[in-house]
Amino acid sequence: MLAIIGGTGMAQLACLEISHRKIMTTPYGEPSGPLTFGKINDNTVVFLARHGYGHTIPPHQVNYRANLWALHSLNLSRVISVASVGGIRADLTPGTVAIPDQIIDYTHGRKYTYHDVIDKAVTHIDFTEPYCQLTRKRLLDAAERANERVIDGGVYGATQGPRLETAAEVNRLERDGVDMIGMTGMPEAALAKELGLCYGTIAVVANHAAGRKTSAHAISLEDAHAVLEKTMVGVRNILERVVEFDVD
């Protein structure tokens, strides 16, 4: 079974034929909302809205540990995250979809690990490759099957939010090698790795990052939401194909 975590622009999954919803409890509190079960093209899928189904939970207050723990308890095959980002790299223009292969964490103060109990042995994870390579390949193959253009690779910079970045901050991120900026990539990716989940991300570029579009000084959130609404049609096409790789 495949899990999909929807971010900004995907509080619901229109292509999902819903069968039921389930309220979950975890040792780490409540997830962002009930898990929604159903089928896409006769393949079982579970969906979770990262920011809540009313999009009321800001990125720095998402209970990432509860979300991933709840999904892990279902013995899933893999987890696909859909996340909106701002594009730094020149080819990451609004409406572009990318499958990142690396991540840099700029967040702070979040509950970022399951291994924080001092009376147990210290546990480290290898985070050389933050995203599951098989999941990335399946997303790329699904995009090709769906005839949807995606960019293979890119460095995701996870910032704290909920505010957007200054132009100077974006310049620093670019010097660090960041290609796209989001607010939810961490600790979600690391927690998935701790739980042994095969995790990948579909990054949807909603806007140019601050200072990257010379014709405007400010980012229009209205325009960004319009871009997301349009681009999510292609994302759903990819999801409809990727489920074919995870047959029950």
Side-chain angles (χ1 to χ4, degrees), residues 2-7 10 48 50 78-84 98-100 131 135 139 156 184-185 188-189 198-204 235 239:
L2 175 74
I4 298 168
I5 302 176
M10 189 173 276
L48 176 63
R50 182 186 291 112
R78 68 192 66 256
V79 176
I80 293 174
S81 157
V82 180
S84 64
I99 312 298
Y131 300 104
T135 300
L139 287 169
Y156 180 119
T184 59
E188 194 171 270
C198 299
Y199 175 90
T201 290
I202 301 175
V204 183
V235 171
L239 294 174

Side-chain angles (χ1 to χ4, degrees), residues 19-36:
S19 61
H20 66 284
R21 293 182 173 89
K22 183 177 182 180
I23 297 175
M24 302 284 289
T25 58
T26 81
Y28 304 96
E30 296 183 358
S32 296
L35 304 186
T36 301

